[in-house]
């Protein structure tokens, strides 16, 4: 409805993303960010999340390949055949996909995804900030 604004409070970023044109995130009663979903993810997100499934017997090949392709990548998780990395935003996505596609069989990558930081992950990073402030107080 034109000329009206509605305020929805929620901890569900999926719900906020679906229902809201602009989102605000507050920490300890203070506004930390305000904007569209894409604006918030671009400004406060920590890059991309690379998740891959690979042959565990080829772990060294996989890790070396990722370190060479994304020198500043940070490993988040590794369980059996699954790896998860944070990758910097300042990269060419087309080149990243091409490099992975060109070498995936050679290094033993069975499946992968490269996705932008989700709104939920941004929210969690702000929530962690709130927990850290509470511990310091």
């Amino acid at each position: 409805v034109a000329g009206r604004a509605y305020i929805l409070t929620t901890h569900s970023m999926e719900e906020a993303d679906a229902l809201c044109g602009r989102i605000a995130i507050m920490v300890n009663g203070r506004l930390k960010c305000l904007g569209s979903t894409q604006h918030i993810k671009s400004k406060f997100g920590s890059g991309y999340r690379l998740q891959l499934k690979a042959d565990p017997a080829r772990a060294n090949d996989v890790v070396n390949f990722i370190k060479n392709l994304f020198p500043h990548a940070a490993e988040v998780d590794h369980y059996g055949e699954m790896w998860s990395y944070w990758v910097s935003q300042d990269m060419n996505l087309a080149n990243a996909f091409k490099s992975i596609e060109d070498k995936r069989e050679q290094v033993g990558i069975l499946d992968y995804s490269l996705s932008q930081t989700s709104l939920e992950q941004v929210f969690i990073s702000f929530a962690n900030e709130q927990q850290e402030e509470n511990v310091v107080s």
Side-chain angles (χ1 to χ4, degrees):
V1 178
R4 293 189 183 187
Y6 296 93
I7 297 176
L8 168 71
T9 60
T10 183
H11 284 106
S12 169
M13 293 298 101
E14 186 176 329
E15 181 179 53
D17 192 15
L19 298 174
C20 303
R22 288 177 31 150
I23 297 170
I25 297 177
M26 296 180 74
V27 176
N28 291 334
R30 293 192 168 167
L31 189 63
K32 290 294 188 172
C33 65
L34 173 67
S36 68
T37 300
Q38 187 58 51
H39 169 76
I40 291 171
K41 290 193 305 187
S42 295
K43 185 167 183 176
F44 298 100
S46 55
Y48 297 96
R49 179 92 174 225
L50 172 64
Q51 295 178 295
L52 49 92
K53 179 180 179 180
D55 180 356
R58 313 268 313 272
N60 287 338
D61 293 337
V62 171
V63 171
N64 289 333
F65 172 69
I66 297 302
K67 284 182 181 178
N68 288 331
L69 184 58
F70 307 111
H72 302 290
E75 186 175 302
V76 177
D77 294 315
H78 173 225
Y79 299 105
E81 62 186 10
M82 301 300 293
W83 280 264
S84 182
Y85 291 89
W86 285 116
V87 181
S88 172
Q89 285 185 152
D90 33 323
M91 68 166 174
N92 183 309
L93 283 177
N95 289 343
F97 279 111
K98 181 172 180 358
S99 296
I100 294 170
E101 280 299 316
D102 288 348
K103 299 279 186 178
R104 67 185 282 185
E105 288 182 23
Q106 184 180 340
V107 298
I109 296 173
L110 305 172
D111 194 19
Y112 70 96
S113 70
L114 185 60
S115 56
Q116 186 179 36
T117 303
S118 71
L119 191 58
E120 184 74 21
Q121 290 163 329
V122 172
F123 178 75
I124 289 169
S125 72
F126 280 118
N128 289 337
E129 184 180 313
Q130 179 175 356
Q131 290 173 354
E132 289 171 9
E133 286 180 18
N134 289 342
V135 169
V136 173
S137 311

